[in-house]
Amino acid sequence: MNNDTLLRVGGGVVVVLVAAVLLVQIGRSVDEDEAADPPSDEAPAEEVVERHGLTVRATAPVRVRIESDGVEQVSGVLCRDLECSVSVDHAAEIAVELADLTRAGVIYNGSRVEPLGNLSEARRLVFIDD
């Protein structure tokens, strides 16, 4: 056998071995998934969404105004006049006005809100519960 034939046979063996290893790993992954989630005869339960409300956390002094169902709840400067974090309980409509979103983070119902656009401009964010 010459060198070209040996290289072809060796390359074929390597390809077969790699394919076998991948198949074994895929088989193990499927077995682990089935073991972790055994089949159930019960209908899946409805997902419960917790309603936390709104939290604003400032990293530097920033003017904030928060309304809950049309009633002003908070107005002032976070991290100077007020504490650096303020929360409002869940409501049908919550509006928050911030002078600079680069200085504060907004968390609604447990999830951080990432507004688009220029964050250094004043914004009014309105959250409506459907």
Side-chain angles (χ1 to χ4, degrees), residues 88-121:
V88 175
D89 290 333
H90 174 73
E93 180 178 302
I94 300 174
V96 58
E97 294 177 22
L98 284 163
D100 186 346
L101 285 170
T102 63
R103 296 174 173 229
V106 178
I107 300 167
Y108 180 68
N109 285 343
S111 297
R112 183 173 168 86
V113 176
E114 299 288 341
L116 300 174
N118 186 354
L119 299 182
S120 62
E121 301 231 347

Side-chain angles (χ1 to χ4, degrees), residues 53-130:
L54 179 108
T55 301
V56 178
R57 292 190 182 120
T59 57
V62 62
R63 176 161 297 287
V64 64
R65 183 171 181 269
I66 302 175
E67 293 178 359
S68 175
D69 289 334
V71 178
E72 183 177 86
Q73 300 293 322
V74 177
S75 183
V77 178
L78 287 177
C79 283
R80 189 172 65 204
D81 300 339
L82 307 170
E83 293 186 29
C84 290
S85 178
V86 64
S87 295
V88 175
D89 290 333
H90 174 73
E93 180 178 302
I94 300 174
V96 58
E97 294 177 22
L98 284 163
D100 186 346
L101 285 170
T102 63
R103 296 174 173 229
V106 178
I107 300 167
Y108 180 68
N109 285 343
S111 297
R112 183 173 168 86
V113 176
E114 299 288 341
L116 300 174
N118 186 354
L119 299 182
S120 62
E121 301 231 347
R123 295 283 183 88
R124 177 178 169 91
L125 305 174
V126 179
F127 302 91
I128 299 172
D129 185 29
D130 293 346

